[in-house]
Amino acid sequence: NPVQPEADTLKLLIALHELGLPFTSRYVDTAKLEQWSAAHRRLAPQGQVPVLVDEGEIMNEGAFALQYLAEAYGARRLAPRAARLWYEVQAWNARVDAALGPTVSLLGWTRATSAAERAAYRTALAEVSGRERPAGWFAVLADAEASEDQLANARERIGEMLAEIERALDGAAWLVGGDYSIADINAFAYLHTLPRL
């Protein structure tokens, strides 16, 4: 769906800017299904967005590309050196991605698009050959209209994650170990959209 790549792409863009790395950005319009073009599928066979290419190496899993940037580059590290803190960063990212990724996408998908736009998108998506059928929350996004119960469940999951983040930030500037890290970048990529949802 065209909403999900926004957060995943934003994470990498923030990290690239924070690390001061030069890069070339190529826009892929997921609303127009450009992620399924032959050129893009050479980089990401399952139509993933974003894709990071570094020194010829292709990384088409956004979460791992973010970790790669944090570990590989820059005088200003976005990953803690201590193994225990690095574990905490990765654990935060896994929880945030699981709780906010699909739920923020679900709300954004239903709030930012009309029923007709969603139907047209699903029709066009169904015509893409070689595409795997989505599962779980993403099946709701791509293949069906969300019910009020599903939207309420999404809001509840978001509320629970927000409460966890608020507890972690009570008396702290950053989520892990007192330093800015990709855990903060990851959470921000989802949270900045909540006011308009």
Side-chain angles (χ1 to χ4, degrees), residues 44 64 78 89 123 136 141:
F64 296 119
L78 297 176
V89 164
T123 298
L141 295 172

Side-chain angles (χ1 to χ4, degrees), residues 13-87:
L13 290 172
I14 291 171
L16 288 165
H17 281 286
E18 290 288 348
L19 293 167
L21 297 174
F23 65 94
T24 301
S25 178
R26 293 192 177 92
Y27 181 71
V28 176
D29 190 339
T30 58
K32 294 181 180 176
L33 301 175
E34 289 177 359
Q35 72 273 31
W36 297 107
S37 70
H40 187 77
R41 288 179 85 171
R42 282 191 286 279
L43 298 174
Q46 300 306 315
Q48 303 99 312
V49 176
V51 174
L52 177 68
V53 180
D54 185 36
E55 296 181 9
E57 295 297 322
I58 299 168
M59 292 167 244
N60 54 33
E61 294 294 338
F64 296 119
L66 182 62
Q67 291 178 14
Y68 168 81
L69 289 173
E71 288 189 274
Y73 286 104
R76 178 178 184 187
R77 286 184 52 88
L78 297 176
R81 295 188 193 282
R84 174 69 187 160
L85 293 177
W86 181 225
Y87 163 82

